[in-house]
Amino acid sequence: MSALLNQIKAGQSIVILTGAGISAESGLATFRASDGLWENHRVEDVATPEAFDRDPDLVQKFYNLRRKGVKDVIPNPAHEALAKLEKHWDGEVLIVTQNIDDLHERAGSKNLIHMHGEVLKIFCTKCAGGEMNEHVKKIEWHDDLFTNTPCPSCGESGGLRPDIVWFGEMPYEMDRIYNALAQCDLFISIGTSGNVYPAAGFVQHAQMNGSVTLECNLEPSNVSGAFHDHITGPAGQTIPELVNKILTS
Ligand code: BV8
């Protein structure tokens, strides 16, 4: 286990970035372990505002399947370990997740930012007046969504979309994330390939303020070289051990 953890002192702040890899052992597919295709569409081609304008039924179908998938799975020991860390560590623990599932919440994590949105929420583009950010009113939605589903607020149809940050759209709560990165003492990245920005650049932001940076992944990511240290292996095994090490450090 990383010798760097001996530098961490009680009361210091920890920022944890998670990606699809932390949910893999719960049974949710990652993006790039497969051939990165979904029904022969590249995710980058389905998860964009242009794709939604071009073929809203295809995009709604993509998220209806993802929404169903989330309800069939449960948090794994990695999610549970992070919730335990937040509960018992006497400094701040902030999880910034790229994931759109609710497994961190169901494991008990509370100080959490879904920078790419949440598949169990939707919003009405007509009510939002074209705005798309964390301040827009979101609607909890666990069922299938269709292009002609009427908005429960304005009654109009054709405006409801998944509360997902697509490629080319601004991720949520970026100011809050950059502030946390500027002040954290330990930055841990778990289960992300380092393909997608701005998340893949967070390690540099953390490092600029002198924080210790640790990558926990199944294999080196695209930004592995930027981290001080690495723990390789499945998160369901490595993260409980890491959390115990931090809590006893
Ligand atoms: C932005 C929601 C401006 C969708 C997602 C050209 C035009 C426009 C934009 C760009 C462009 N070129 C580049 C960009 C920027 C673009 C980008 O980065 N594109 C990439 C493809 C090059 N980014 C954007 O557009 C972002 N917006 O830039 O706005 C801006 C800039 C700065 C500041 C403010 C604004 C918006 C990006 C958000 C896109 N939406 N998700 C959906 O989910 O359907 S991203 C999508 O990929 C997922 O959210 C996912 O989280 C994310 C990253 O994937 P990973 O989580 O890393 O998953 P992956 O499968 O890749 O890797 C899993 C890893 O886990 C692997 O390494 C594997 O080894 C490991 N693993 C597997 N099993 C385990 C494990 N590890 C541990 N244990 C295991 N058991």
Side-chain angles (χ1 to χ4, degrees), residues 14-52:
I14 304 174
V15 171
I16 302 165
L17 172 69
T18 64
I22 198 169
S23 298
E25 289 158 89
S26 294
L28 290 180
T30 61
F31 284 82
R32 291 161 189 92
S34 59
D35 53 11
L37 292 180
W38 174 79
E39 295 205 345
N40 295 323
H41 298 275
R42 283 180 345 121
V43 172
E44 285 81 6
D45 296 338
V46 176
T48 66
E50 295 76 19
F52 190 59

Side-chain angles (χ1 to χ4, degrees), residues 49-243:
E50 295 76 19
F52 190 59
D53 291 342
R54 187 172 55 241
D55 189 345
D57 294 338
L58 173 75
V59 174
Q60 296 287 18
K61 184 179 162 195
F62 177 52
Y63 288 101
N64 287 343
L65 284 173
R66 305 268 302 280
R67 199 174 294 114
K68 273 198 191 77
V70 165
K71 294 194 285 186
D72 294 341
V73 298
I74 58 171
N76 67 58
H79 297 106
E80 285 156 3
L82 295 188
K84 175 181 161 188
L85 179 65
E86 179 183 335
K87 188 163 176 226
H88 296 293
W89 181 249
D90 67 359
E92 167 150 18
V93 176
L94 171 66
I95 295 176
V96 179
T97 188
Q98 299 173 88
N99 299 338
I100 61 176
D101 61 58
D102 66 340
L103 295 174
H104 281 303
E105 291 90 331
R106 282 158 60 193
S109 290
K110 305 220 178 327
N111 197 18
L112 172 64
I113 295 176
H114 278 277
M115 66 178 290
H116 292 162
E118 299 175 70
V119 78
L120 295 178
K121 289 186 180 156
I122 64 172
F123 68 90
C124 175
T125 54
K126 298 175 191 274
C127 292
E131 284 277 300
M132 191 226 162
N133 53 48
E134 57 271 25
H135 308 298
V136 162
K137 177 173 169 289
K138 308 298 167 58
I139 306 163
E140 193 80 23
W141 196 273
H142 290 219
D143 303 319
D144 283 349
L145 184 65
F146 301 99
T147 307
N148 59 2
T149 304
C151 167
S153 298
C154 70
E156 299 265 317
S157 60
L160 292 176
R161 62 167 275 186
D163 179 30
I164 301 289
V165 175
W166 286 324
F167 289 94
E169 293 183 324
M170 174 80 86
Y172 289 155
E173 303 220 48
M174 288 308 296
D175 291 344
R176 188 172 151 212
I177 294 169
Y178 282 134
N179 283 335
L181 292 169
Q183 298 170 42
C184 72
D185 302 284
L186 173 60
F187 174 74
I188 305 172
S189 174
I190 304 172
T192 180
S193 62
N195 265 302
V196 174
Y197 286 84
F202 288 173
V203 56
Q204 269 90 7
H205 284 270
Q207 209 123 290
M208 272 190 300
N209 98 72
S211 65
V212 167
T213 58
L214 182 60
E215 181 178 73
C216 306
N217 210 48
L218 207 50
E219 67 208 343
S221 76
N222 279 4
V223 291
S224 274
F227 287 83
H228 290 122
D229 207 343
H230 308 78
I231 296 172
T232 304
Q237 289 167 30
T238 60
I239 303 309
E241 196 187 333
L242 171 65
V243 165

